[in-house]
């Protein structure tokens, strides 16, 4: 219980709660272990609660009518997903699959709703978290609609750089195929653009790492949208 409580205290919408309140939340949490590639839920499944990633990575995705996968979000440690189920009580609007061996905490809808009835501050914090997620998804959709693929890739690399403590050498923790899906393109196109960025001396790619060589030009590319 103490270990779960300490973990929850690091989550943005749980910060500021008293220890007793965190204990109440920890008491309804269940652990879910996933192997890489395992499906957690599919679009249309009953929205019976929400999840927080303890370790590993989970992708949230949708499939087009022709079977093409579109990654909406990639969740890492401390990220939450499925919160809509808590408020709406409907089906999950997208699917979730483990990208690596992962451990999650699951919060059942019914029990969590009982808790937030007496804790309006917690409900407001969750709404704030949902608003941030909506802004992120909206920004991603705008990028796909308005920018060419080089600009989308540059924007993603800048986002990854921020997530990895503003280091110039980044860990590429998803496959080329998954990244292509996330950027709304195909692996062949992504490979050509990555090679072009190397030729232009913006980045250097080595297996699972990428070094940013020219931050200013990468930022210009993210803003302009094309090489």
């Amino acid at each position: 219980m103490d270990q779960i409580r300490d973990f929850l205290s690091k989550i943005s919408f749980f910060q500021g709660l008293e220890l007793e309140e965190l204990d109440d939340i920890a008491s309804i949490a269940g652990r879910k272990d996933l192997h890489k590639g395992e499906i957690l839920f599919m679009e249309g499944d009953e929205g019976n609660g929400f999840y927080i990633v303890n370790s590993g990575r989970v992708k949230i995705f949708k499939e087009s009518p022709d079977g093409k996968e579109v990654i909406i979000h990639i969740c890492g440690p401390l990220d939450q997903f499925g919160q809509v189920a808590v408020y709406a009580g409907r089906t999950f609007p997208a699917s979730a699959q483990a990208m690596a061996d992962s451990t999650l905490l699951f919060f059942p809808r019914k029990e969590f709703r009982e808790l937030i009835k007496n804790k309006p501050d917690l409900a407001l914090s969750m709404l704030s978290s949902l608003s941030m997620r909506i802004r992120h998804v909206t920004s991603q959709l705008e990028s796909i609609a308005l920018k060419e693929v080089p600009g989308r890739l540059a924007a993603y690399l800048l986002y990854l750089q921020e997530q990895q403590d503003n280091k110039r050498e980044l860990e590429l923790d998803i496959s080329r195929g998954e990244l292509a899906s996330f950027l709304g393109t195909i692996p062949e196109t992504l490979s050509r653009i990555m090679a072009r960025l190397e030729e232009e001396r913006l980045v250097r790619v080595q297996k699972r790492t990428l070094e940013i060589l020219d931050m200013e030009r990468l930022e210009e590319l993210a803003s302009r949208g094309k090489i």
Side-chain angles (χ1 to χ4, degrees):
M1 177 79 77
D2 290 347
Q3 190 174 16
I4 296 178
R5 182 191 64 198
D6 292 342
F7 174 75
L8 294 178
S9 68
K10 301 174 185 177
I11 308 298
S12 58
F13 61 72
F14 291 144
Q15 289 178 355
L17 296 181
E18 300 293 335
L19 290 180
E20 182 179 344
E21 294 174 316
L22 288 173
D23 283 337
D24 288 340
I25 297 169
S27 69
I28 68 169
R31 172 171 168 157
K32 178 69 175 180
D33 294 315
L34 296 174
H35 295 296
K36 180 179 179 180
E38 187 175 350
I39 295 290
L40 179 60
F41 56 76
M42 294 297 294
E43 179 179 356
D45 287 351
E46 178 189 359
N48 56 352
F50 74 99
Y51 297 84
I52 297 178
V53 181
N54 188 320
S55 63
R57 295 187 309 280
V58 176
K59 65 179 177 182
I60 310 301
F61 68 97
K62 293 179 73 73
E63 287 190 357
S64 64
D66 62 359
K68 181 181 178 182
E69 179 185 287
V70 178
I71 297 177
I72 300 172
H73 192 68
I74 296 173
C75 301
L78 303 183
D79 283 340
Q80 318 96 42
F81 59 95
Q83 301 101 313
V84 172
V86 172
Y87 291 104
R90 299 178 181 175
T91 59
F92 286 116
S95 304
Q97 181 182 27
M99 302 176 71
D101 289 348
S102 304
T103 299
L104 316 176
L105 290 180
F106 173 67
F107 298 84
R109 175 178 179 270
K110 181 179 178 180
E111 288 82 351
F112 195 80
R113 282 175 65 92
E114 288 296 322
L115 286 178
I116 63 178
K117 281 181 182 179
N118 300 316
K119 297 178 174 63
D121 288 346
L122 177 56
L124 290 173
S125 294
M126 286 197 70
L127 286 173
S128 176
S129 177
L130 279 173
S131 297
M132 292 297 292
R133 175 63 56 81
I134 291 171
R135 288 181 60 186
H136 173 79
V137 172
T138 300
S139 176
Q140 181 184 343
L141 292 175
E142 288 177 348
S143 177
I144 290 175
L146 302 176
K147 292 181 181 179
E148 295 184 10
V149 179
R152 299 177 217 163
L153 175 58
Y156 173 77
L157 294 177
L158 292 174
Y159 164 78
L160 195 62
Q161 195 243 358
E162 181 181 347
Q163 294 295 108
Q164 297 185 15
D165 300 323
N166 296 310
K167 297 176 182 177
R168 290 296 183 103
E169 186 169 302
L170 310 177
E171 179 186 355
L172 300 176
D173 54 2
I174 60 176
S175 69
R176 290 286 180 97
E178 290 165 334
L179 179 55
S181 173
F182 186 62
L183 297 176
T185 187
I186 59 176
E188 292 79 8
T189 299
L190 177 62
S191 293
R192 288 197 298 270
I193 293 170
M194 195 77 81
R196 178 72 183 280
L197 294 187
E198 285 197 275
E199 291 174 4
E200 296 287 333
R201 300 286 298 166
L202 271 71
V203 301
R204 179 188 295 117
V205 182
Q206 295 181 334
K207 295 183 179 180
R208 302 291 291 186
T209 62
L210 179 146
E211 181 182 0
I212 297 176
L213 301 177
D214 195 325
M215 181 66 74
E216 183 176 347
R217 290 175 62 204
L218 194 66
E219 290 173 342
E220 290 176 359
L221 176 57
S223 176
R224 187 172 61 249
K226 59 183 179 180
I227 298 177

